[in-house]
């Protein structure tokens, strides 16, 4: 996260990341400063530098005495995200960044600039334990959960590079955040919610982005989906369904043997009822696996009359997988059937696929 030359401190601890200012709620920030023997108002000053001005170079904080900076840096701003490399496509409007965490774990984030918005796709875990056979991230298993600071740090870094005019298209701001990078966000609930608060809480508590622009994507961890509905935040919920029937879904999304299609969709409708937010159903179209007309009809039947939108994702290739994207005519037929049943549907673009930065391709290989 810090630019070269910024004041950063190495952490000796391995495994669990050291606590960082970005992990803390407003109340905890104040407590931390007081515990360090400093006045509580320093917390607010620091929050303004970080969240209002995106300034994480402690050397630039002119209202903090030099004598305090060293201690603040070493205790509250340990180095947690180290950029290993960034690769670009779309003339620099798509940028995938590989991050090394303090213990050597690797994660990736992807920034995508569109004419009217900038979306950052972030990781919530190093690896993933859900083991979906068509997703590259799942193949290596779960390494560990990320902390709130490690998750939010990916957003902050993207916001900083946009503000500093480092992204093609001129200076800009982040408008959308999608938890669609590595990991299953609902399996790391508390840290993800901490990061969500840093993203949506009004400045200087957080960045003050609209909760509607934040999408949390899940394989369908039902108890956590129900909990998310109680948070009082109009986040967008995306459910990775990929099959309308349990027999097939058990093989594509193995956690389906724990929470069935019916249970996952019930939790999704409850989320829509409580938050009044339209739920997104993600469906990767896999040739001759889940793209038949009968499955489109069954999907439409299950979604009929609900506050829902289907996002079809042409399968992105992953190493060693025998599966491939649907034939164009099968994709068109699938879309047609859903539309004829009155279901809203769009086909997701495959941004980033040439840099292995598209859905399901993040594997963080060094
Ligand atoms: N674990 C969460 C967050 C990951 S989101 C979830 O599964 O929802 C990434 C999205 O891309 C998910 O919908 C996932 O199922 C989908 N995906 C995974 N591999 C893919 C691939 N090879 N091609 C297209 N989409 C894929």
């Amino acid at each position: 996260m810090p630019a070269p030359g910024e004041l950063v401190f190495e952490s000796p601890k391995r495994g669990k990341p050291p606590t960082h200012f970005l992990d803390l709620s407003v109340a905890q920030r104040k407590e931390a400063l007081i515990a360090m023997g400093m006045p509580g108002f320093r917390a607010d000053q620091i929050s303004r530098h970080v969240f209002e001005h995106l300034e994480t170079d402690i050397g630039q904080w002119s209202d903090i005495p030099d004598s305090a900076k060293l201690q603040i840096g070493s205790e509250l701003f340990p180095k947690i995200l180290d950029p290993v490399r960034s690769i670009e496509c779309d003339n620099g409007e798509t940028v995938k960044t590989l991050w090394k965490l303090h213990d050597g774990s690797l994660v990736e984030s992807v920034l995508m600039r569109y004419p009217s918005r900038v979306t950052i796709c972030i990781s919530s875990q190093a690896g993933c334990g859900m083991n979906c056979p068509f997703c590259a991230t799942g193949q290596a298993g779960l390494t560990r959960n990320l902390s709130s600071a490690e998750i939010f740090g990916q957003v902050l870094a993207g916001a900083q590079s946009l503000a500093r005019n480092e992204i093609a298209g001129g200076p800009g701001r982040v408008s959308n955040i999608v938890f669609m990078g590595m990991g299953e966000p609902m399996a790391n609930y508390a840290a993800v919610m901490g990061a969500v608060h840093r993203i949506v809480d009004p400045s200087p508590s957080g960045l003050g982005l609209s909760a509607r622009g934040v999408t949390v994507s899940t394989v369908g961890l039902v108890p956590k989906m129900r909990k998310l509905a109680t948070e009082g935040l109009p986040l967008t919920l995306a459910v990775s369904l990929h099959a309308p029937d349990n027999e097939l879904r058990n093989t594509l999304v193995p956690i389906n043997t724990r929470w069935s299609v019916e249970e996952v969709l019930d939790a999704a409708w409850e989320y829509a009822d409580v938050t009044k937010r339209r739920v997104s159903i993600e469906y990767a179209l896999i040739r001759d696996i889940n793209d038949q007309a009968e499955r489109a009809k069954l999907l439409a039947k299950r979604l009929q009359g609900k506050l829902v939108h289907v996002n079809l994702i042409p399968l992105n290739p992953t190493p060693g997988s025998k599966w491939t994207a649907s034939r164009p005519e099968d994709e068109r037929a699938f879309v047609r059937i859903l539309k004829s049943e009155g279901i809203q549907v769009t086909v997701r673009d495959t941004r980033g696929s040439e840099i292995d930065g598209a859905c399901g391709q993040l594997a963080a290989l060094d």
Side-chain angles (χ1 to χ4, degrees):
M1 181 176 38
E6 286 187 8
L7 194 52
V8 289
F9 297 85
E10 293 287 352
S11 157
K13 288 181 241 151
R14 291 189 69 81
K16 193 178 183 296
T19 299
H20 190 284
F21 189 78
L22 301 178
D23 285 308
L24 307 178
S25 66
V26 170
Q28 289 169 331
R29 292 172 209 170
K30 194 168 169 187
E31 281 168 24
L33 270 296
I34 291 172
M36 286 162 60
M38 296 190 193
F41 65 80
R42 293 261 179 266
D44 186 60
Q45 291 176 308
I46 299 171
S47 294
R48 285 178 196 283
H49 289 300
V50 174
F51 294 97
E52 251 178 52
H53 305 294
L54 310 178
E55 183 55 84
T56 46
D57 178 355
I58 299 176
Q60 300 296 318
W61 298 351
S62 53
D63 54 355
I64 310 277
D66 285 344
S67 56
K69 285 181 180 170
L70 205 63
Q71 194 186 359
I72 292 171
S74 65
E75 295 192 25
L76 294 176
F77 287 82
K79 185 174 183 173
I80 47 166
L81 284 176
D82 194 12
V84 177
R85 66 166 170 271
S86 290
I87 27 178
E88 301 177 355
C89 61
D90 304 314
N91 299 316
E93 294 195 329
T94 301
V95 184
K96 179 174 86 163
T97 305
L98 175 68
W99 301 101
K100 186 176 271 181
L101 310 182
H102 83 104
D103 61 349
S105 302
L106 297 169
V107 297
E108 292 179 316
S109 61
V110 186
L111 184 151
M112 291 160 282
R113 183 166 216 162
Y114 298 89
S116 59
R117 66 179 199 278
V118 179
T119 300
I120 301 184
C121 177
I122 56 173
S123 296
S124 57
Q125 298 181 311
C128 184
M130 296 298 126
N131 207 22
C132 303
F134 55 92
C135 177
T137 306
Q139 303 320 302
L142 175 66
T143 304
R144 71 166 169 87
N145 282 336
L146 302 195
S147 65
S148 294
E150 288 169 329
I151 299 169
F152 177 75
Q154 299 165 58
V155 177
L156 184 57
Q160 288 174 323
S161 33
L162 275 160
R164 293 175 187 154
N165 196 15
E166 292 164 5
I167 306 291
R173 299 171 81 95
V174 185
S175 45
N176 296 74
I177 302 294
V178 295
F179 283 84
M180 294 189 183
M182 299 170 73
E184 166 50 44
M186 293 292 93
N188 184 17
Y189 191 90
V192 163
M193 286 317 297
V196 164
H197 278 288
R198 300 304 95 80
I199 294 167
V200 305
D201 286 353
S203 168
S205 300
L207 290 181
L209 267 60
S210 160
R212 291 177 166 71
V214 178
T215 300
V216 176
S217 181
T218 180
V219 288
L221 304 189
V222 166
K224 296 296 163 54
M225 292 167 71
R226 294 194 186 279
K227 191 167 181 200
L228 192 67
T230 68
E231 298 282 353
L233 288 172
L235 303 168
T236 301
L237 176 68
V239 176
S240 295
L241 198 66
H242 306 310
D245 55 301
N246 287 309
E247 195 186 348
L248 179 60
R249 194 168 191 267
N250 284 343
T251 67
L252 295 180
V253 185
I255 198 74
N256 193 69
T257 56
R258 177 69 184 81
W259 291 289
S260 66
V261 170
E262 293 79 0
E263 291 170 291
V264 170
L265 290 179
D266 275 352
W269 310 147
E270 181 183 311
Y271 187 86
D273 279 349
V274 172
T275 62
K276 310 293 176 225
R277 296 289 298 150
R278 187 176 73 168
V279 171
S280 214
I281 298 290
E282 295 166 277
Y283 198 107
L285 281 173
I286 314 176
R287 184 181 297 188
D288 297 329
I289 301 289
N290 65 353
D291 61 354
Q292 307 84 352
E294 309 81 73
R295 287 212 159 79
K297 286 177 194 151
L298 180 57
L299 179 64
K301 195 169 143 208
R302 292 206 186 269
L303 307 185
Q304 208 66 253
K306 302 295 185 186
L307 193 56
V308 70
H309 172 269
V310 176
N311 217 210
L312 297 173
I313 318 171
L315 188 81
N316 291 304
T318 58
S321 170
K322 53 188 183 303
W323 289 327
T324 182
S326 299
R327 293 172 201 88
E329 61 270 29
D330 293 337
E331 180 184 302
R332 282 196 295 272
F334 207 95
V335 171
R336 197 163 54 239
I337 292 167
L338 290 177
K339 282 190 174 160
S340 71
E341 298 293 329
I343 309 289
Q344 287 187 41
V345 54
T346 47
V347 179
R348 183 179 294 172
D349 69 1
T350 50
R351 264 279 182 133
S353 57
E354 58 270 54
I355 53 171
D356 283 346
C359 303
Q361 293 186 311
L362 302 185
L365 301 174
D366 199 1

